[in-house]
Amino acid sequence: AQTVTQSQPEMSVQEAETVTLSCTYDTSESDYYLFWYKQPPSRQMILVIRQEAYKQQNATENRFSVNFQKAAKSFSLKISDSQLGDAAMYFCAYRRGYGGATNKLIFGTGTLLAVQP
Amino acid sequence: DVKVTQSSRYLVKRTGEKVFLECVQDMDHENMFWYRQDPGLGLRLIYFSYDVKMKEKGDIPEGYSVSREKKERFSLILESASTNQTSMYLCASSLWGVPGANVLTFGAGSRLTVL
C-alpha cells in the first residue's frame, strides 16, 4: 500500500525567507501524481502545486517550487520570499496515475507552517 | 465564487443521534469524496462516489454511510454518533476521466462535536 510521510509536524520561517517542507512516499507504482495542498486557518484547502511522476522537470508555481527526487521517493516543497499569508497547514498527497475515477488521494499528516513577521 | 458548499460549519450532537452532513458542488464534477481530518493523522478517506447512486468505501467507512441521489449532492450520515466521531469533516469533488487531473476542490469543512 502506498504511504505518504511528512516528518515535520511544525515549521517556522521569517517573512521574506525561504523554507522547505519535506515529504516522502512509498509506492511500487511507476505512474503517479504528487500534490501539495495548503489549508489556511479556518479556510478551505487549496491546491498549491502538482507534479506528474513521468516529468523530470520540477513543477513551479510563482514562489512555490518542488524538488522531486523519484529514485529517493522524495517530494519537497520550497516556498521562496515567504509571506504572512503562507501561514497554513500544508499536506503532501499521492495519487496513482492509472485506474480511472476510483483513484484516491493519499495524504500525509501535514506540516503546520508559521511565518514570523 | 463558492464551488463546494458544506451545509454546516459547526455542529454539536449527542451520542446516539443520527447526523447528516451535506455537501453540494456546482462544478458538474463526477467524483465526490468525504474525508475526516484529525490532528496528527492527516486526511483519511471515509467514502467516495464517482456517479449518482454509486459509492465506494474508503479507508475508514465504519460507522458512516453516504447517499448520492443527485450529481451535485453527496451526504455523509452518521447513523448513531459516537464521541470518537468528533472531528473535522471535509467534502471534496473532482472531475472524472481527465488524465492527470483529479485535482480536488474542497469545501470549508464541518467541525462535528459529539457529546
Side-chain angles (χ1 to χ4, degrees), chain A residues 2-16:
Chain A
Q2 296 88 6
T3 59
V4 177
T5 302
Q6 293 179 251
S7 59
Q8 306 154 316
E10 297 183 13
M11 294 277 288
S12 182
V13 63
Q14 291 291 130
E15 201 174 1

Side-chain angles (χ1 to χ4, degrees), chain A residues 33 35 37 39 42-47 50 52 89 91 95 97 100-110, chain B residues 4 9 31 33 35 37 40-43 45 48 50 56 58-59 90 96 99-104 106-108:
Chain A
Y33 301 87
F35 306 82
Y37 279 86
Q39 186 181 40
S42 301
R43 292 177 61 187
Q44 285 169 268
M45 182 122 48
I46 58 172
L47 178 70
R50 176 180 66 195
E52 292 87 346
M89 180 73 84
F91 290 97
R95 173 189 174 265
T102 57
N103 278 349
K104 62 181 182 181
L105 262 66
I106 300 169
F107 286 86
T109 53
Chain B
V4 178
R9 286 299 304 272
N31 298 336
F33 306 82
Y35 284 90
Q37 181 180 0
L41 297 177
L43 276 72
L45 183 63
F48 65 99
Y50 53 91
E56 288 203 17
D59 299 316
L90 297 177
W96 182 90
N102 211 8
V103 172
L104 299 183
F106 282 89

Side-chain angles (χ1 to χ4, degrees), chain B residues 77-95:
Chain B
I77 304 158
L78 287 67
E79 294 289 343
S80 178
S82 63
T83 55
N84 62 13
Q85 293 178 309
T86 292
S87 186
M88 171 69 86
Y89 292 88
L90 297 177
C91 176
S93 70
S94 72
L95 286 169

Side-chain angles (χ1 to χ4, degrees), chain B residues 5 7 21-26 29 32 34 49 51-53 67-76 91:
Chain B
T5 303
S7 55
L21 300 180
E22 305 286 346
C23 176
V24 177
Q25 51 95 5
D26 63 1
H29 284 173
M32 295 189 75
W34 275 107
S49 169
D51 201 353
V52 175
K53 297 190 185 295
S67 172
R68 193 167 182 198
E69 297 296 319
K70 294 184 177 181
K71 188 176 184 179
E72 67 271 17
R73 186 180 298 269
F74 192 37
S75 302
L76 180 68
C91 176

